[in-house]
Amino acid sequence: MASSSFSCSPVSRALSLKITGNEHLASGNFALAIDTYTEALKLLPSSNKTKIAFQKPSLRAILLSNRSHAHLLLKQPSKALNDADACIETSPKWSKAHLRRANALRKSGTKN
């Protein structure tokens, strides 16, 4: 049997992992969602920043946002805040990134 030469790009793989992570999140498996988002983030460059106000957030920002949300659901506000801050750094004009940060601060009791 011939081996398959099919391979997908890191971005395609990260998108697939994002979908899987979202499924884990929806089914209440928050820890597995975090692991899946983390795996996806490792496939993307860390310098993937959105600089134009009207541009959609980067895949990296979306993954960080989703992972921040999963951390909050696991009652880990400091980890959620770290991801929210990284999300803001990646896509500073994306309102959802700021919402994630506000939610993490609210849950942690911090007033920054």
Side-chain angles (χ1 to χ4, degrees):
M1 179 184 255
S3 66
S4 172
S5 62
F6 175 78
S7 65
C8 59
S9 72
V11 172
S12 295
R13 178 74 179 127
L15 280 168
S16 177
L17 287 167
K18 175 190 164 283
I19 292 166
T20 302
N22 291 350
E23 290 168 354
H24 293 313
L25 197 66
S27 68
N29 197 339
F30 309 135
L32 191 52
I34 289 168
D35 291 344
T36 305
Y37 295 138
T38 300
E39 186 179 343
L41 284 161
K42 289 177 183 177
L43 297 170
L44 301 173
S46 61
S47 63
N48 186 4
K49 293 184 180 181
T50 304
K51 295 184 180 180
I52 302 170
F54 57 86
Q55 189 174 9
K56 291 182 180 179
S58 67
L59 176 57
R60 180 171 195 75
I62 293 167
L63 290 165
L64 287 163
S65 172
N66 291 358
R67 192 171 70 177
S68 175
H69 181 61
H71 279 303
L72 271 185
L73 292 170
L74 282 176
K75 300 183 183 352
Q76 299 172 334
S78 63
K79 290 180 179 183
L81 182 58
N82 288 339
D83 279 347
D85 286 341
C87 185
I88 290 169
E89 183 179 320
T90 302
S91 291
K93 299 203 182 267
W94 188 35
S95 60
K96 192 170 190 177
H98 294 276
L99 175 65
R100 294 290 190 220
R101 185 171 195 277
N103 287 337
L105 287 170
R106 185 171 48 87
K107 292 290 184 180
S108 70
T110 305
K111 296 183 181 184
N112 292 350

